[in-house]
Amino acid sequence: MSAALTCSAADLSSLLGPNATAAAEYICGQLGTVNNRFTDAAFAIDNTYLLFSAYLVFSMQLGFAMLCAGSVRAKNTMNIMLTNVLDAAAGGLFYYLFGYAFAFGGSSQGFIGRHNFALKDFPTLTSDYSFFLYQWAFAIAAAGITSGSIAERTQFVAYLIYSSFLTGFVYPVVSHWFWSPDGWASPFRSPENRLFGTGAIDFAGSGVVHMVGGIAGLMGALIEGPRRGRFEKSGRAIALRGHSASLVVLGTFLLWFGWYGFNPGSFAKILVPYESGSSYGQWSGIGRTAVTTTLAGSTAALTTLFGKRLLSGHWNVTDVCNGLLGGFAAITGGCSVVEPWAAIVCGFVAALVLIACNKLAEIVQYDDPLEAAQLHGGCGAWGLIFVGLFAKEKYVNEVYGAAPGRPYGLFMGGGGKLLGAQFVQILVIAGWVSATMGTLFFILKKLDLLRISEKDEMAGMDMTRHGGFAYMYYDNDDESHKATQLQRVEP
Amino acid sequence: MDIAATTCSAKDLAVLLSSSNSTSSLAAATFLCSQFSNISSKLSDTTYAVDNTYLLFSAYLVFAMQLGFAMLCAGSVRAKNTMNIMLTNVLDAAAGAISYYLFGFAFAFGTPSNGFIGRHHSFFALSSYPERPGADFSFFLYQWAFAIAAAGITSGSIAERTQFVAYLIYSSFLTGFVYPTVSHWFWSTDGWASASRSDNNLLFGSGAIDFAGSGVVHMVGGIAGLWGALIEGPRIGRFDRLGRSVALRGHSASLVVLGTFLLWFGWYGFNPGSFLTILKGYEKSRPYYGQWSAVGRTAVTTTLAGCTSALTTLFSKRLLAGHWNVIDVCNGLLGGFAAITSGCAVVEPWAAIVCGFVASWVLIGFNLVAKKLKYDDPLEAAQLHGGCGAWGVIFTGLFATKRYVNEVYSGDGDRPYGLLMGGGGKLLAAQFVQIVVIIGWVSVTMGPLFYGLHKMNLLRISTEDEMAGMDMTRHGGFAYAYNDEDDVSVKPWGKVGPTSQSSTPTPTLTA
């Protein structure tokens, strides 16, 4: 318990004059106490902020579970929701045991971390449990994304294996490269060691989270092939519609809600003045990040609404939801270092990128039930490029530490070095994830552990592997099926 | 950059203090003063961090009400229109972000300005924001979340029969102009009726007190909805040829309850968050009592009003209709919240119970009136938000306590307060003025808009589309597909879409 600050003028004045030494010690002691209390307050406030942000990011699991459930056919609902629950649970365990250490275990050579396995020697000077929990919430988000690409046709044991490997190793290594102060491509590295003098800027993970999840999903979906019935022999695409648009919208809104922890929370601390005593501080940057996030998603949603109206002739709610999420995935990389108007540009282009990636997928007969590779992979990559174009000098220096001549966005006059680093990030992530997850999925396929049988796929996995259907709208006793009919009710 | 540590060397300071040299004592004094100044800056930083955390998380909670309202709407309409209404909810939020960012926020809070509408150029598209302390991005986000709540309310009244382009038009107009103007009058420091007006020219010496928006948000949304629903008329089948009301039941009570609970959850950002800051002491003699206490008290009054309204509705409907009705209880709950929203910060908890009790009867009463006048509102939005909102505004004029009014709203400490608490009639008069001007303003703006859309055939959908359901005709297909295309055998769960094999009787057309 911190000591109370008391000051007795009578006591002090009797000390001044002949007993100045004691007076000075008294004053200094009090100032020291004040100092300690400020330090305590700062930790309490920053931990509150980070913990609640972590809970918000966790709520994105709810959102993604609902989005997935609504986007698949009713006969596979139990299966996909179980994978979502397990992503979080298995992820918790593996990230604790190895993942966090690989990601943030300090003093490494830049490729992978090597301390704090099972949170040994924790908390450190710079990281407390709130930071671990926050990073765990991010790790399970990446694993969740991948489950969307391989939905409706993948064996459950394959889910468990890929998910643990992704959360425990593949993803943490990537986050080490770009987010650890030791990472070879990290913008937090000491100035003389930064890639191209800047490091790649991916504030909350357009690349680290979304591209990783999306590319892993791409590998899985490519290797196991499309769902039966998705592409006819003539090559025509058949929409295998999800069973509940309500769940899709509910899930999308929950993801939107959670994104306010994902993006602004990535500052990790809120009590950081830029100039002590001024009303402008890190809290302003955090608020601005919430605003850029909102504007990017909203613009992507509106662009998709009108784009799809032109392309397909009607107003499509599930497409608008996907467009919205694509906007968020794109702004995630640069949310803290761009102006609000730039976020509108980001969202607009993200919508077009998603539509284009979907067209491409159709042409090459690639089937992804949640459009995860297109949305998280495609819009995530656009998001990284966007940062290289629109990052503002002032914000880059505030967020990543001021350095004279620090590169920033090309269109803002900052030269091409940041954009160069962003391209390196895209290539390296695509390469690493393809090599690791591609190999894993291929081995699973060779061992006959990846795809389910044709019979099981037609009957639906809930019936064949999960004990029964997800929905029971009428009772076993109810012969007339009255409960499910929509009837007029007389007054 | 962390807060700079203050260093203090006792030895050096002692030398300075013990000397009788005036230069030394000046140096000592300068040192001490600079330390105090340092402490002051650190306190200021801390306060900004705490208050922004509080306001941002409150904003996220208010945003969560969009989810809640989307689910409430979805569950309250028929399955064939689910995609349509949920799309309008998503679009309210998205289009609202753009229009509020570009104009709405400036009209609402641009300062300095006149009493009618904000106009400072630096607020349009947040061009040089934040330009002064007291308003940061967290404030913008919070106000945006409120603006889209108002637009969402209106969509409930015109559900199941309105063209999508009409939604886009009314929503942008409401969020970008109509609503911000009203919020300027009652919430801006320049607003002519605002209780926080800075130039001491308070309406009736009081200003109207609408803390979190029973009038500004709920009445605006509800009256706009009233005009839309009146002008386009009831849904087909809602009132039969004899004038009897036919309930067009919503398709999912689970979604209604989920939505209601999410709205309740979000209301903890809507009401207590309207304090905007939390780190403020009120009385030196009681250091544990400060704005944080008022924030907590506001969360309590909110809770009590909703609960009381829910219970009252439960028992009244049991008496009136003969059974315990969960949908009605949910609506009653929300009516209680809409009512307490105005006075949540300035009344005692026991008064909130009175508020909720009356709100329940107000809602039941307005629903009976609607039935009599053959007014159809799928979400009872005009009755709930308009009616209970208006009651909430009056309630504040009756029950606001002297102590809380003077704590929440600055001044000489002698502001008018609730009539029944001994505060005279001035506040109540200002509340009545608020009700009248809101009804008037929203009617003259949204009424003609809806009428114009109606005249241009852009408002209501065609009869065929209404019978088939808008999801099929305009949104690419049904919301629900419980049966697979590959599925030839009849599966053990029921079909919940109007397929040709269904035995759902088709509603008869009224003349």
Side-chain angles (χ1 to χ4, degrees), chain B residues 99 168-180 445-446 449:
Chain B
S99 60
L168 289 173
I169 293 172
Y170 102 73
S171 178
S172 315
F173 186 56
L174 189 69
T175 313
F177 177 64
V178 178
Y179 164 82
T445 48
M446 298 305 286
L449 177 76

Side-chain angles (χ1 to χ4, degrees), chain B residues 218 330-332 334-336 338 363 366 379-389:
Chain B
H218 296 281
C330 285
N331 281 318
L334 296 174
L363 182 58
F366 273 114
L379 273 287
E380 315 179 357
Q383 299 93 302
L384 202 159
H385 297 275
C388 295

Side-chain angles (χ1 to χ4, degrees), chain A residues 206-207 211 375-386 426:
Chain A
S206 287
M211 274 189 73
L375 200 160
H376 298 274
C379 295
W382 154 242
L384 291 177
I385 295 173
F386 165 77
I426 292 174

Side-chain angles (χ1 to χ4, degrees), chain A residues 28 75 241 246 284 315 474 486, chain B residues 8 475 478 480 484 492 504:
Chain A
C28 285
K75 64 189 186 186
R241 288 187 53 211
S246 307
S284 314
W315 314 97
Y474 84 104
L486 295 172
Chain B
C8 190
H475 296 285
F478 293 119
Y480 300 101
D484 229 353
T504 308

Side-chain angles (χ1 to χ4, degrees), chain B residues 332-343:
Chain B
L333 183 76
L334 296 174
F337 286 141
I340 194 62
T341 294
S342 159

Side-chain angles (χ1 to χ4, degrees), chain B residues 234-240 244-248 375-377 510:
Chain B
R235 289 168 290 175
I236 295 169
R238 178 73 175 91
F239 297 101
D240 67 16
R244 268 193 322 179
S245 137
V246 177
L248 299 177
Y375 167 77
D376 177 29
D377 190 321
T510 56

Side-chain angles (χ1 to χ4, degrees), chain B residues 193-197 200 202-203 205-209 401-418 423 426-427:
Chain B
S194 169
S196 39
R197 201 172 192 192
N200 267 336
L202 296 168
L203 176 71
S206 163
I209 290 182
T401 69
K402 177 178 181 143
R403 169 133 166 248
Y404 300 150
V405 166
N406 286 296
E407 270 167 9
V408 176
Y409 296 99
S410 58
D412 55 8
D414 208 11
R415 303 178 68 110
Y417 53 102
K426 288 196 169 145
L427 176 61

